[in-house]
Amino acid sequence: MVDVMRFTEIEHKFVIDAGFDLAAFRQTLAALGPERTSALDVRDRYFLTADGRARHYILRHRFDHELHQLTIKSLASDPEVRDEINLDLGHHKGDQAAQVDAFMARMGVVWRDELQKALDVWYFADCEIVYYEATSGGRTVRCVEFEAVRQASVADALAVIARYEQATGFDAAARSRQSLVDLLFPGVLPPRETPYS
């Protein structure tokens, strides 16, 4: 990964409905020649602290068979470009939910919840494309995300995303400017007045 962009996530999210033609989407992506693909069931637990509410960030604990991470994500009115710092907790000690809960309790958590994701990922050299269905309580949201990886600048990353959106027909769709937490837990996150710059 290019060092200057090491802690920057650049992605576009599209909310889709249950009628989305996933089979055709899979065929289109297969024709583009991904380096590999993966299907995962993911548990994401989110924590908002008083400091996070004031300084616009959220913490996430993710555990699945590929990743075990504690992440801090900045919050912005448009999540296209935001800070994302991941700490790898590794799988060698299994799911460390109790340790993460104890750690978070010391930080003054004001809100917490979790969601489940069933996702398919297509890994390209310059982009990761994900289709997922995320659920929590009685809410479900389906999304397609395009995340540029290993790029030297925001402009380069956005150009990569635009290329894959065009190849898959998403260039004509309106992307969501809400984070997944906003979509599944409306009203929890503080208002963000200015986008990340």
Side-chain angles (χ1 to χ4, degrees), residues 26-129:
R26 285 183 171 130
Q27 288 178 343
T28 298
L29 291 175
L32 296 175
E35 294 177 339
R36 69 183 180 97
T37 62
S38 187
L40 299 166
D41 290 317
V42 176
R43 185 203 65 211
D44 283 342
R45 301 187 315 135
Y46 286 91
F47 302 85
L48 182 64
T49 64
D51 187 64
R53 179 171 281 163
R55 297 179 56 202
H56 296 206
Y57 67 85
I58 195 163
L59 296 139
R60 179 188 71 200
H61 177 218
R62 169 169 287 175
F63 185 75
D64 60 48
H65 76 263
E66 287 188 2
L67 297 174
H68 188 196
Q69 296 175 329
L70 186 60
T71 300
I72 186 169
K73 286 178 171 270
S74 63
L75 302 171
S77 60
D78 184 346
E80 178 179 60
V81 180
R82 60 184 172 174
D83 297 335
E84 180 177 286
I85 304 164
N86 295 300
L87 299 178
D88 184 4
L89 301 181
H91 283 91
H92 62 289
K93 291 194 176 183
D95 182 4
Q96 298 181 58
Q99 292 90 329
V100 170
D101 286 347
F103 183 88
M104 289 298 165
R106 297 289 181 145
M107 299 180 70
V109 172
V110 296
W111 173 84
R112 62 178 285 167
D113 213 321
E114 71 178 61
L115 58 85
Q116 303 292 324
K117 278 186 189 174
L119 54 85
D120 294 315
V121 190
W122 293 263
Y123 299 92
F124 297 88
D126 53 0
C127 191
E128 293 177 5
I129 301 173

Side-chain angles (χ1 to χ4, degrees), residues 25 28-29 32 129 144 146 163-171:
F25 186 63
T28 298
L29 291 175
L32 296 175
I129 301 173
V144 170
F146 299 83
R163 192 170 73 247
Y164 284 95
E165 287 174 348
Q166 184 174 24
T168 57
F170 274 88
D171 55 324

Side-chain angles (χ1 to χ4, degrees), residues 12-14 16 20 25 129-131 143-146 170:
H12 284 177
K13 176 195 293 40
F14 297 87
I16 55 175
F20 178 70
F25 186 63
I129 301 173
V130 182
Y131 164 83
C143 297
V144 170
E145 293 181 357
F146 299 83
F170 274 88

